[in-house]
Amino acid sequence: METNSFIEFKKERDLGAIITDTFKFIRENWKEYFLTVLKIVGPILLVGLVVLVLYMFTMSDIFNEIDNVDSDPIGFLSNIFSWIFVLMFVYVLMYTLLSMSSLYFIKSYIEHNGKPLFSEVKENVLKNIWKFLGLGFLVTLTTLFGMVFCYLPGIYLLTVLSLATSIMVFEEKSIGDTFSHSFTLIKGEWWNTFGVLIVVWMLLMMLSQAFSIPAIIYQFIKMGTVMGGDDPTEIFSIFKDPIYLALNIGSYIFQFILYSIPLISTVFIYFDLNEQKNLTGTFEKIESLGTTNNEE
């Protein structure tokens, strides 16, 4: 039986190596990785897709009755914002669980020399979910506050805090210590980190758009057909179109899967910076060599 080669995370890498090793890690571990993610995130992903479909059906009904808005504008806005809140809650929970599953999978992969344990990953996710949600809230609040000041402080903070989840997982720090250590770790390496993240996210956006093209083309075709009719509100019936719904669901699933790319890349960035600053991997190799020599 063929076994995958172990990928060493604890070493320095340049931009090309980070991207190459990200795809190599996915290619060699895709089965175990995605099975782990689906077992943990699958139920919430299913709920998210159901909520999305119900939201689109509701929007279709609301906009088809747009003439009734004047009679109850508060009810109209309340209905829309209620659905948006539900969607945001489900998707925040879903992507939090995805981040945790990915990072704890990699942690187990490293600790067990390429043979991650699902039970260990699941236990860590369940044990630390509130901690992760708290960190996510703090990071989001800080970044939004930075965005108020002409975006530049927000971009700076977003780059710094992109390392926060990796620090929390691999160093097991508290929320406060994780937040402060993000600034310490990235000091002197902000531009390099920003450059890697830009390349990775641009790649992700291009791949995401490719999966969205069928739904966009179908939407334009459908809109062109409907626009020729007598009832302009009929255009909103597309939200109930089964083909349009199927294409959008497929697109969201692929985008959900693709989100693993920046997650794994960020882990490689974290270990690259950690190795430059602390030589953790180097010291561990020296210690393991010393242990091996003593045993001999």
Side-chain angles (χ1 to χ4, degrees):
M1 181 178 177
E2 184 180 350
T3 57
N4 295 333
S5 57
F6 177 73
I7 297 175
E8 179 60 62
F9 276 81
K10 298 178 181 180
K11 68 177 187 179
E12 294 185 36
R13 286 176 169 86
D14 57 20
L15 170 61
I18 288 173
I19 295 175
T20 300
D21 285 347
T22 296
F23 284 98
K24 182 181 179 182
F25 179 82
I26 295 173
R27 184 178 67 251
E28 295 192 355
N29 300 278
W30 67 270
K31 186 176 181 180
E32 295 86 354
Y33 173 80
F34 285 114
L35 277 176
T36 299
V37 169
L38 285 175
K39 284 179 183 178
I40 295 173
V41 192
I44 301 299
L45 174 60
L46 185 60
V47 170
L49 294 175
V50 170
V51 170
L52 177 65
V53 171
L54 292 175
Y55 168 75
M56 295 179 77
F57 269 70
T58 303
M59 290 301 103
S60 177
D61 292 337
I62 288 176
F63 287 110
N64 278 329
E65 298 174 5
I66 197 74
D67 295 335
N68 300 326
V69 174
D70 293 337
S71 61
D72 187 19
I74 295 177
F76 172 77
L77 293 174
S78 175
N79 200 356
I80 291 178
F81 283 113
S82 295
W83 275 103
I84 291 175
F85 176 79
V86 171
L87 274 172
M88 286 179 62
F89 174 79
V90 172
Y91 278 82
V92 165
L93 182 59
M94 185 172 70
Y95 280 96
T96 298
L97 287 173
L98 173 59
S99 298
M100 295 181 73
S101 302
S102 298
L103 294 177
Y104 281 116
F105 178 90
I106 294 172
K107 184 176 183 180
S108 185
Y109 172 92
I110 294 170
E111 291 178 350
H112 299 285
N113 296 314
K115 298 178 181 178
L117 303 177
F118 173 74
S119 58
E120 185 176 82
V121 177
K122 183 179 179 181
E123 180 184 353
N124 279 321
V125 169
L126 295 176
K127 184 171 64 177
N128 295 293
I129 186 167
W130 291 110
K131 194 175 171 183
F132 252 77
L133 287 171
L135 178 65
F137 177 77
L138 179 61
V139 168
T140 303
L141 197 64
T142 304
T143 305
L144 288 176
F145 180 77
M147 287 293 183
V148 173
F149 299 98
C150 303
Y151 287 101
L152 291 179
I155 293 172
Y156 170 79
L157 289 169
L158 189 60
T159 302
V160 172
L161 297 173
S162 65
L163 304 172
T165 50
S166 293
I167 292 171
M168 178 173 280
V169 167
F170 297 105
E171 300 187 26
E172 299 182 354
K173 292 183 180 293
S174 65
I175 294 174
D177 288 342
T178 296
F179 189 86
S180 60
H181 188 58
S182 297
F183 291 86
T184 303
L185 187 62
I186 205 171
K187 187 176 180 181
E189 297 293 335
W190 188 91
W191 281 108
N192 290 334
T193 305
F194 177 72
V196 175
L197 290 174
I198 282 291
V199 172
V200 170
W201 278 102
M202 285 180 65
L203 179 62
L204 178 69
M205 288 175 63
M206 288 188 291
L207 291 172
S208 297
Q209 289 300 316
F211 286 116
S212 302
I213 288 174
I216 294 171
I217 292 174
Y218 184 81
Q219 181 180 5
F220 276 110
I221 293 173
K222 193 74 176 179
M223 286 173 64
T225 305
V226 171
M227 289 294 284
D230 297 328
D231 185 6
T233 62
E234 192 180 345
I235 192 172
F236 298 112
S237 64
I238 191 173
F239 293 126
K240 289 185 176 181
D241 188 302
I243 298 176
Y244 181 72
L245 286 173
L247 290 172
N248 271 283
I249 289 172
S251 175
Y252 280 115
I253 291 173
F254 279 118
Q255 288 177 26
F256 176 80
I257 293 171
L258 288 173
Y259 187 64
S260 294
I261 296 173
L263 284 175
I264 297 169
S265 296
T266 304
V267 176
F268 280 116
I269 295 171
Y270 160 76
F271 278 112
D272 170 56
L273 295 179
N274 191 52
E275 193 62 24
Q276 291 182 46
K277 298 288 177 69
N278 305 313
L279 298 175
T280 306
T282 303
F283 287 135
E284 286 183 2
K285 287 178 182 177
I286 293 172
E287 288 177 5
S288 66
L289 287 172
T291 304
T292 304
N293 290 333
N294 289 333
E295 288 177 354
E296 291 176 353

